[in-house]
Amino acid sequence: MSIKENYKAIKDQLSSGVQLVAVSKTHPVASIQEVYDLGQRVFGENKVQELMEKSPLLPDDIQWHLIGHLQTNKVKYIAPFIDTIQSVDSGKLLAEINKEADKNNRRIKVLLQVKIAAEDTKFGLEITEAKDLFEQYINGNFPHIEITGLMGMATFTDDEQQVRKEFLTLKGLFDELNQLKTLKTLSMGMSDDFPVAIECGANSVRVGSAIFGRRDYSQ
Ligand SMILES: *Cc1c(COP(=O)(O)O)cnc(C)c1O
């Protein structure tokens, strides 16, 4: 199927309350423009350098989300324009984003990335760390950022029960933190598992290959 058909098919599966982040990593500017022209405005990239190369060539009203691991020394490059950093996986990174947001007179939206997968993934906060950071945030630390929600990735497996269990764990944490201070976004689900994620409470999904086709290399 073409990008256009893929995009329409995905949109048809999402109710209006679910945000679609079109994950364009590894795909060329022309493909992003094609999806933009169909009305999509929120795009996700996982590498700062790639984002810096592509974003100036595309319309200004794209809301860029960073969804990959972010090194603290690269925050300064994206702080002037990034809409949301979905992949906050340490207090050190949160502090750096806060500092750079201040410099740019912005309040940057972030999601805390929580480790929910059984497999040994490198990045993501433990649940206790996420709670701790959120409490620091509520207590007035990090005034130049807004924690708008949580992001998580399930184990890469065909075992739907496993995936469901992991998504529900994150939904549980989301509900718990939401009692302390209102959160907007629960970002979970990718091309292969977004319908399950939505059943488990996701209101934002990150879909790449189901729109743009397979990537040349897996990430
Ligand atoms: C690449 C990526 C996605 C999209 O993956 P697809 O399987 O292509 O839909 C979603 N989230 C993150 C964090 C990613 O790195």
Side-chain angles (χ1 to χ4, degrees):
M1 288 210 291
S2 68
I3 288 180
K4 183 173 177 178
E5 286 165 331
N6 289 340
Y7 178 72
K8 297 216 153 136
I10 296 290
K11 287 295 281 182
D12 282 349
Q13 291 175 68
L14 302 178
S15 65
S16 60
V18 178
Q19 177 190 52
L20 172 63
V21 178
V23 176
S24 50
K25 64 189 187 196
T26 78
H27 295 287
V29 162
S31 301
I32 302 174
Q33 183 70 50
E34 195 178 336
V35 175
Y36 176 94
D37 291 339
L38 297 169
Q40 180 67 22
R41 291 295 177 270
V42 185
F43 290 87
E45 287 280 340
N46 71 334
K47 293 206 169 92
V48 169
Q49 194 185 336
E50 190 175 340
L51 177 57
M52 299 304 292
E53 283 166 14
K54 286 153 118 181
S55 55
L57 307 172
L58 285 154
D60 278 346
D61 64 342
I62 288 183
Q63 296 157 40
W64 291 104
H65 286 215
L66 192 82
I67 60 168
H69 177 64
L70 176 58
Q71 290 171 282
T72 49
N73 63 353
K74 294 194 176 156
V75 174
K76 57 179 179 285
Y77 301 118
I78 60 170
F81 71 93
I82 198 80
D83 180 81
T84 301
I85 298 173
Q86 293 210 2
S87 41
V88 170
D89 56 7
S90 74
K92 193 177 146 214
L93 179 58
L94 203 53
E96 182 67 15
I97 297 168
N98 184 63
K99 190 181 96 189
E100 291 297 328
D102 186 14
K103 275 193 202 164
N104 285 279
N105 280 311
R106 299 189 64 206
R107 192 146 185 246
I108 296 179
K109 290 181 274 186
V110 307
L111 306 183
L112 299 180
Q113 180 179 352
V114 181
K115 209 183 277 185
I116 50 170
E119 64 199 354
D120 191 22
T121 43
K122 268 189 290 181
F123 303 116
L125 299 158
E126 299 296 337
I127 286 185
T128 50
E129 292 177 300
K131 284 185 188 173
D132 181 56
L133 281 181
F134 195 65
E135 265 159 32
Q136 292 182 39
Y137 165 70
I138 290 176
N139 291 332
N141 293 302
F142 317 119
H144 306 288
I145 60 161
E146 184 185 358
I147 298 180
T148 55
L150 303 177
M151 186 269 260
M153 264 184 283
T155 304
F156 185 68
T157 173
D158 288 336
D159 182 351
E160 196 187 303
Q161 282 314 109
Q162 173 77 23
V163 169
R164 199 174 284 276
K165 194 180 95 194
E166 292 169 1
F167 284 150
L168 288 174
T169 299
L170 194 59
K171 168 71 164 126
L173 179 64
F174 181 85
D175 290 343
E176 194 181 327
L177 299 184
N178 189 45
Q179 305 257 305
L180 305 174
K181 187 170 170 39
T182 306
L183 292 173
K184 285 186 211 134
T185 305
L186 181 56
S187 169
M188 33 184 218
M190 320 193 338
S191 293
D192 291 334
D193 58 14
F194 76 85
V196 178
I198 292 168
E199 280 172 31
C200 294
N203 61 14
S204 182
V205 296
R206 310 175 307 273
V207 178
S209 41
I211 296 172
F212 292 100
R214 283 176 47 191
R215 291 179 290 275
D216 291 342
Y217 53 97
S218 79
Q219 322 223 339

